[in-house]
Amino acid sequence: MPGDPFTIAAHAGGVFDETTGGVVPPLQPSTTFRRGPAISEDYVYRRYAHPGAEAVENVAAQLDGGSAALVFGSGMAALSAVLESVPMGGHVVAPVVMYHGGQDWFRSQADIGRISLTLFDSDDPGALEQALTQATDLLWIETPTNPMWGLIDIADAVELGHRVGATVVVDSTVAPPVTTRPLDLGADIVFHSATKYYNGHSDVLAGILIAAKPDERWERIQAVRGSHGSILAPFDAWLLLRGIRTMPLRYTRACQSAAAIAAVFEHHPRVERVLYPGLESHPGHEIAVRQMTGGFGAMMSILVNGDAAEARRVAASTRLFANATSLGGVESLIEHRASYQTTPVPPNLLRVSVGIEDPDELIADLGQALGG
Ligand SMILES: *Cc1c(COP(=O)(O)O)cnc(C)c1O
């Protein structure tokens, strides 16, 4: 079995279609599958499983070194299914700074008493241990943390979580398995918003969960997906497979460009600070060196000299960077985060998603937008 992510990804979906010899997998949209002794019983009804979803799951499990995977119609659908696996009133621990949509959902479920929630400050060394109790059911972490790109040491968090018997889930959207494999560091489940680097072309919403081993919780998650019908649809699964084939290539390229951009703007006169895990000045750099072995990511935040209005002006002045939310696509994006985000964020912060364009042209574009 090939172990290199470039090879695994390039062959996503298999290299040929058994019935026709086509070198790409067929698109099978059927909602129901014929039963019979000669027919595979793997598929019965599309809400539970279908060949396109399964092809994505196979490659995702291989890339992250897991034993099972489930693909959903969005990252949030996958996150919600994980949360549904928490028993009534169960205790969930998550970081203060994390993907805001996920945290909003955790909070709303805590507000109605469905779960109890403790948020911990991941910059405070003792905070996670304090947040965990013997009753903690689920520890959700994200690293690097959106939008400050702070690092959480996965192996340390796993050790603390497992000490109290919690299931540890890692949102590794920003650090796909080209650079970080949380299951190798002891995590129970990896989460990816496949909307981002996995698909990479800003045209599919999808979420993937990968399990170290399928246990009772995993069966509950699978049952939730089957009942909600939140499995990814066949055409989206087909597009996602196409995206995955170039994911390592796109991600590696974007990481290299991001490193170059961060190095240039760290010392720019109109910039207060650049937050990028690859910079030695970044507070999480040491952990990043250990944990992001294939590149420091393609996400960074640029804190401009000035206030929110100045940051908004810069975001509106780029020509190559589109002023839009999201990340992980081939096109570079820039966004004034404080205008949209519900978790704490500095007013002068611009979140940048580096795409696969020419890095020198991206540097020139940011330079003209900053001015001076
Ligand atoms: C986008 C994102 C999500 C949510 O995924 P969707 O596919 O948009 O539902 C979760 N976590 C992170 C880090 C993200 O960037």
Side-chain angles (χ1 to χ4, degrees):
M1 236 14 213
D4 184 88
F6 283 82
T7 309
I8 295 169
H11 291 190
V15 282
F16 63 89
D17 168 22
E18 300 281 348
T19 49
T20 64
V23 297
V24 298
L27 175 56
Q28 174 49 268
S30 191
T31 55
T32 187
F33 296 85
R34 200 169 91 191
R35 297 180 198 274
I39 307 221
S40 159
E41 292 285 323
D42 291 351
Y43 311 114
V44 175
Y45 190 58
R46 198 174 92 188
R47 185 149 40 70
Y48 301 108
H50 62 81
E54 213 166 83
V56 171
E57 289 161 4
N58 286 339
V59 68
Q62 276 188 66
L63 283 169
D64 257 305
S67 61
L70 289 167
V71 66
F72 294 77
S74 71
M76 283 300 293
L79 176 143
S80 306
V82 171
L83 204 64
E84 290 244 342
S85 76
V86 174
M88 189 66 200
H91 186 224
V92 176
V93 172
V96 173
V97 180
M98 63 174 275
Y99 177 70
H100 67 113
Q103 191 179 92
D104 287 349
W105 186 245
F106 287 168
R107 283 175 191 271
S108 75
Q109 295 305 290
D111 287 348
I112 60 168
R114 169 66 185 80
I115 58 164
S116 79
L117 178 66
T118 304
L119 299 176
F120 72 98
D121 175 0
S122 49
D123 295 330
D124 172 353
L128 174 55
E129 192 168 5
Q130 267 181 357
L132 294 162
T133 75
Q134 290 301 323
T136 305
D137 181 69
L138 181 75
L139 168 59
W140 180 284
I141 60 171
E142 176 183 323
T143 184
T145 316
N146 187 10
M148 310 296 281
W149 319 114
L151 270 287
I152 295 179
D153 187 308
I154 296 173
D156 281 358
V158 165
E159 206 215 301
L160 292 174
H162 284 175
R163 214 185 277 167
V164 298
T167 295
V168 181
V169 183
V170 179
D171 180 343
S172 206
T173 299
V174 173
V178 183
T179 194
T180 301
R181 298 215 313 174
L183 300 182
D184 293 350
L185 301 168
D188 301 297
I189 297 176
V190 184
F191 166 98
H192 295 289
S193 166
T195 310
K196 316 295 168 51
Y197 294 106
Y198 270 80
N199 183 61
H201 294 76
S202 307
D203 53 12
V204 171
L205 278 179
I208 305 176
L209 300 174
I210 304 103
K213 55 178 188 318
D215 53 8
E216 228 175 279
R217 180 190 301 275
W218 188 251
E219 278 168 28
R220 287 205 296 278
I221 292 170
Q222 190 159 12
V224 168
R225 187 185 72 167
S227 300
H228 287 186
S230 53
I231 191 169
L232 188 67
F235 184 56
D236 282 354
W238 191 86
L239 280 174
L240 177 54
L241 268 182
R242 177 152 105 165
I244 290 174
R245 289 187 204 117
T246 56
M247 183 273 281
L249 205 58
R250 287 183 282 101
Y251 187 75
T252 305
R253 157 87 172 180
C255 283
Q256 286 163 355
S257 299
I261 293 169
V264 168
F265 290 99
E266 188 178 26
H267 304 295
H268 191 279
R270 296 266 172 113
V271 171
E272 180 188 303
R273 194 166 177 206
V274 174
L275 296 168
Y276 179 66
L279 292 175
E280 274 176 35
S281 62
H282 192 268
H285 181 66
E286 251 178 70
I287 301 172
V289 168
R290 279 202 300 278
Q291 203 166 276
M292 302 182 81
T293 53
F296 295 111
M299 294 302 297
M300 75 184 72
S301 291
I302 297 177
L303 280 65
V304 299
N305 277 333
D307 55 6
E310 169 62 7
R312 274 196 292 269
R313 183 199 66 73
V314 174
S317 308
T318 54
R319 296 176 194 134
L320 283 179
F321 286 83
N323 185 3
T325 194
S326 198
L327 61 102
V330 292
E331 66 290 311
S332 296
L333 303 176
I334 189 164
E335 168 184 37
H336 179 241
R337 223 30 214 172
S339 299
Y340 309 102
Q341 177 156 330
T342 50
T343 51
V345 57
N348 58 339
L349 181 146
L350 292 172
R351 191 180 84 169
V352 172
S353 170
V354 177
I356 63 169
E357 303 94 333
D358 178 65
D360 293 334
E361 291 186 353
L362 292 175
I363 288 167
D365 186 36
L366 272 178
Q368 69 77 24
L370 283 161

